Structures are given as C-alpha cells and as structure tokens.
Amino acid sequence: MQGTEDTGPPGSRAGGQGPAQGPQDPAPERERAPERERAGEPEGRAHGEDQARRPHHRAHSQEDRSPRPGPPAARPHEDHGPVRYGPPAPDPGLPVLPELAAVLAAASARTRPEPPGGGPVLREAARGYWDRRGLHGTAGGIAAPGAQPLLLALIGAHGGDVLMPRPCPAAWMPQARLLGHPAYHVPTPAECGGIPDPYALLETVRRVRAEGGRPKLLLLSVVDDPTATVALPELVREACEAAVDEGLHIISDETWRDTVHRPRDTVLLSPAEMCPDDVTVLADLSGALLPAAWPVAVARFPDTARAAVRHARTLDILTALGALVAGPVAHAAAHALGEPDSVRDRIQRAAALNTEVAAAAHRAVLGSGALARPPEAGCHLYADLGPLRSRLAGLGVTDSMELEEYLTDRLGAPAPGGHRFGDELGALRVRLGTGPLLGATPQQRSESLAAAKPLELAHVARALDDFAAVFADLR
C-alpha cells in the first residue's frame, strides 16, 4: 500500500502494492505512466513512456531524431495526466438566470471579499437551504469559493486515511493526494454509483487497518458524478451504517441533489438524515443554483462538540489558503439559496430539459451496443463501451485514455475517460455531457430551456443526430 493513486482492483489503496491490492494488473506499467504525472513526477518521463507504448505514437528511430526547422511541436496527449488538465464538473450548458445576473450586478460595487467561511447573510441563507431539505445542523455552516477548496479544508480538518467509491468525482483523489493522506477506492453496488458497496467497504477497512492504516473519512455522493445515478435509500442506509460502525466520519457531496430528473418518482435519502451526528454535507452551488463562473460551495456540519472542533479547523485551513468568496458572488449566492420563485422555476425547467435530452443520449448509446445506466440526475451519463472493444481496437482505441481522445475529437465536446474518475485504465468507460446538445449559442440554449418539447427543436435534434451518428459508427 505505497501509492496515492488507484490503479489496482476494487478496494485497493490508490496505486498500492500491498495485500489490499489483490491480483496484479496485466498491464501495470502502462497504467501507472499517467498516474505518475498526476502524482507529481516529471511530465516528460511519463509522457515519453506512454507514447513509446502506443502503436500510433511509436518512438522515432535514431535517423528521425535530427533537429528540424520550425517551432517545436506540442507534446501529444499532455492533457491525459496532470491534475491541472483534469475535467471540470459537468456543464449544464444553460444561460445565467437574468434575476441572478441583476443581483450580482447590483452588488458589483462591493470591493471586499466575504470573511473566511462566509458572512452571516450567506451562512444564514445556506442554513435555510439545508433546513428546507430536512438537514438540520449547527448554525455555523461554512461557505467557500467552490467545492475543491472546501473539500480540501474538510479532509485536512479530519486527518487519517480517506475512502471513496470507484468511480468518483475527478477532483476527490487530488485533494487527498495534495494533503498527503492515504486514499483508497471501494467498488460501488451494481445498482448505482456514488456510494461504496457496504461489504466491500468493511473488507477495505479491515485490510487497511491490518496493514497499519488509519481509515477515518468516507466520501460519497448519493446523487452522483460521474454516473448520474441516485443511490437507493436502502443502499445508502447500509453503507452509512457500515461506515459509522467502523468509526468513519462521512462527507456527503450533494451538489447534484437539485438536478434529479424525476423528483416525484425518486426517493433521495441524505446520509445526514439517518446519521446526523456523523455526516458533513457539502454542496457546490454550480450544480443547480449558480453558473460555474461564480464559484460558491457550502457545508453543513453536525451539531456536536467534535464537529465544532472540525469546523474551527476547516475555517483555519480556508483562512490560510485565502479561500474567500467574492463579495458580489456571495450576494448572488445568498439570493439563490433563498430559492425565490424564479430560482425554483429554473431548477424545475432545467431538470425537465435534462430528463429529455439525457434520455435521448442514453438511447443513442445503447443503440450502439454499449452499456449505460439510465441517467437519473445531472447533465451527463456514464457509458461503458466494453462490448465494442473489438471494433474500437480496430480504430486504435484500447483504453480509456484513447477512448477519451477518440470521442472528444468526434463529438467536438469533452468526453473524459473513466480513468479520470478512478476507474481502471483498461475499462472503456467515459462520461458524456449533455450540455453541448442544448445549443451552440445562448439564444439556442434559452430556447431549449423554454421549449415544451425540446427534442423537436431543430438545433437539439441536429445535435442529437450527430451524437448518435458517432456511436452508430461503432456498431
């Protein structure tokens, strides 16, 4: 168990070599090359090794290595490894709500940022947001300029080893690695992503402790990126009970909870509802309330003495980082968290639009022979092209890095491979965003949002036809 990036089988420590890793990967060196870049080794070494192994990027012979005139060519595939090239969260692709733009503009004269953790107006708005969802905690919540700095502070405040499901959001593993915390992936149940299988979780905890580790923290997301699934309440309960019984504190990322496609038909259980004293809840407002260009994330803490200590540590870390919410953005965030009618209407319209478009994209993926769980939330889906491996191999696509490159080129939109989310490099999995299908201009995206039947709009139908054609070519 000597690494910090997961390239082994389920339940292993990221990059580990000890007993918890299980059987060796049949191609360990190929898989570790991009991971070395993300772990901080010189990029040239890892990229050189990667290119030398790829059949369509063979190393040049000695005769070909003589200097040539002109500017140096960019190194191919540099964006496959380093953290700075990691994919952002799925982009909803929707225009800014005019009311929120007006609120932001009205506060544009505010020249000072919020205090660490957010000012009283923003924190009170966040408390009301959590209370309306039945998540009652301490009055002293925290706000930060985005989910990444807030999650970094939360992990740093807890200490110990970190466990997370596989796959998981692309930003989670780098946070643990940056802090030097040992991190382990745990496989998810067959029914959904975002939460660990409870039996695999118990086995991973047992193995980590047997090898001298200190598992202290479990990250999960009941409404998940990248799989776009909503965890069944009974599975959430089993996973949380297993974690709490083993002394783990839970951080529940609920960024996408307000994007559920069919809220009347979906039962969403937050871990904080069943284990209120053992769960910290995190939400990035870019999921449903604000555009990603206005970064704000909020956290709800348990109302316990131990949580008060962690709350103080989290504030200390955010202060040391200078992670402060911009004053005008805080004003808009507080307004959005209050959920006036216009904001609630936008949330409902966006969910209805994503329901239609994601379902159409899902049908196109299945029509090619690939696999994908039906998307239940968000503006994305997670596809497994394993059944198309032979056809893809003939196109030079043999792993998720090459699949990412292939689909990004043909779709004209980011299609991050499963390795970005902790899945095995050899698995042909990819996250597909639906935001680009809503239109190429703000006017088209506004039309998509307002349409009663968005799939009948010419620009949406054309985008879906182009999307389906890419997958039809893989049959």
Side-chain angles (χ1 to χ4, degrees), residues 51 128 130 147 178 185 206 254 265 301 318 322 351 374 384 386 431 436 451 457 463 471:
Q51 292 170 13
W130 297 125
L178 185 61
H185 277 127
R206 183 192 68 79
E254 301 187 11
D265 302 326
F301 286 77
L318 290 173
D384 183 349
R431 187 186 74 190
L457 293 174
F471 286 91

Side-chain angles (χ1 to χ4, degrees), residues 233-474:
E234 55 269 28
L235 296 177
V236 175
R237 185 176 301 277
E238 291 173 1
C240 291
E241 287 176 348
V244 172
D245 288 347
E246 292 296 329
L248 303 180
H249 186 78
I250 299 169
I251 294 180
S252 177
D253 185 341
E254 301 187 11
T255 294
W256 301 99
R257 67 171 297 144
D258 292 328
T259 69
V260 173
H261 293 174
R262 294 180 173 83
R264 294 184 179 180
D265 302 326
T266 304
V267 179
L268 196 164
L269 176 66
S270 169
E273 294 180 67
M274 61 169 299
C275 305
D277 294 342
D278 297 290
V279 178
T280 300
V281 184
L282 164 71
D284 191 326
L285 303 192
S286 66
L289 296 176
L290 293 179
W294 306 354
V296 181
V298 294
R300 168 265 184 210
F301 286 77
D303 191 9
T304 66
R306 180 176 296 182
V309 174
R310 292 167 176 162
H311 180 278
R313 290 175 182 168
T314 303
L315 281 177
D316 287 343
I317 295 172
L318 290 173
T319 303
L321 293 173
L324 310 177
V325 179
V329 173
H331 193 57
H335 184 82
L337 286 165
E339 297 180 290
D341 291 344
S342 61
V343 171
R344 288 199 300 271
D345 180 68
R346 164 58 70 90
I347 291 172
Q348 293 168 2
R349 285 179 176 273
L353 173 61
N354 284 321
T355 300
E356 297 286 337
V357 177
H362 181 249
R363 290 192 294 271
V365 170
L366 295 185
S368 71
L371 304 174
R373 294 189 184 100
E376 299 174 297
C379 48
H380 56 285
L381 64 154
Y382 197 56
D384 183 349
L385 276 64
L388 308 177
R389 184 176 296 275
S390 297
R391 168 64 173 154
L392 287 166
L395 298 170
V397 177
T398 61
D399 61 32
S400 63
M401 285 171 52
E402 293 165 342
L403 180 62
E404 173 182 310
E405 178 185 304
Y406 176 88
L407 289 178
T408 297
D409 179 61
R410 280 151 183 79
L411 293 172
H419 62 286
R420 305 282 195 178
F421 311 104
D423 258 333
E424 298 90 340
L425 182 67
L428 296 175
R429 299 188 183 112
V430 62
R431 187 186 74 190
L432 303 166
T434 58
L437 303 175
L438 305 183
T441 66
Q443 180 179 353
Q444 288 182 342
R445 293 190 287 269
S446 295
E447 292 173 0
S448 298
L449 188 64
K453 297 181 178 180
L455 301 187
E456 296 181 2
L457 293 174
H459 62 271
V460 175
R462 184 167 54 250
L464 283 168
D465 287 344
D466 292 343
F467 179 91
V470 170
F471 286 91
D473 288 343
L474 300 177

Side-chain angles (χ1 to χ4, degrees), residues 19-211:
Q21 183 175 2
Q24 292 293 317
D25 190 308
E29 283 305 314
R30 172 168 186 157
E31 188 164 343
R32 281 196 292 270
E35 310 306 338
R36 277 195 294 268
E37 292 181 39
R38 290 202 288 271
E41 286 197 20
E43 297 167 22
R45 174 183 173 190
H47 287 302
E49 292 173 356
D50 179 53
Q51 292 170 13
R53 278 188 290 271
R54 290 171 179 257
H56 55 293
H57 290 296
R58 298 184 187 277
H60 293 296
S61 64
Q62 289 292 339
E63 299 83 51
D64 294 334
R65 290 177 182 169
S66 57
R68 298 180 180 178
R75 286 184 303 172
H77 310 305
E78 184 180 14
D79 60 345
H80 284 313
V83 171
R84 65 183 178 275
Y85 294 116
D91 180 12
L94 297 174
V96 177
L97 183 65
E99 180 177 317
L100 289 179
V103 171
L104 182 74
S108 61
R110 296 180 61 179
T111 59
R112 297 190 62 82
E114 295 281 286
V121 174
L122 178 56
R123 288 188 286 107
E124 179 61 22
R127 185 196 62 78
Y129 172 86
W130 297 125
D131 283 349
R132 287 191 296 275
R133 286 152 180 79
L135 307 181
H136 309 291
T138 179
I142 280 181
Q148 283 87 346
L150 183 51
L151 180 59
L152 181 77
L154 289 170
I155 295 174
H158 283 81
D161 300 355
V162 184
L163 283 72
M164 59 190 74
R166 177 162 63 187
C168 67
W172 284 7
M173 184 59 73
Q175 306 293 332
R177 184 187 308 115
L178 185 61
L179 292 166
H181 287 226
Y184 304 82
H185 277 127
V186 184
T188 57
E191 296 87 347
C192 64
I195 62 170
D197 177 89
Y199 297 102
L201 175 63
L202 292 173
E203 176 64 13
T204 301
V205 170
R206 183 192 68 79
R207 291 185 178 186
V208 171
R209 287 180 176 152
E211 296 184 10

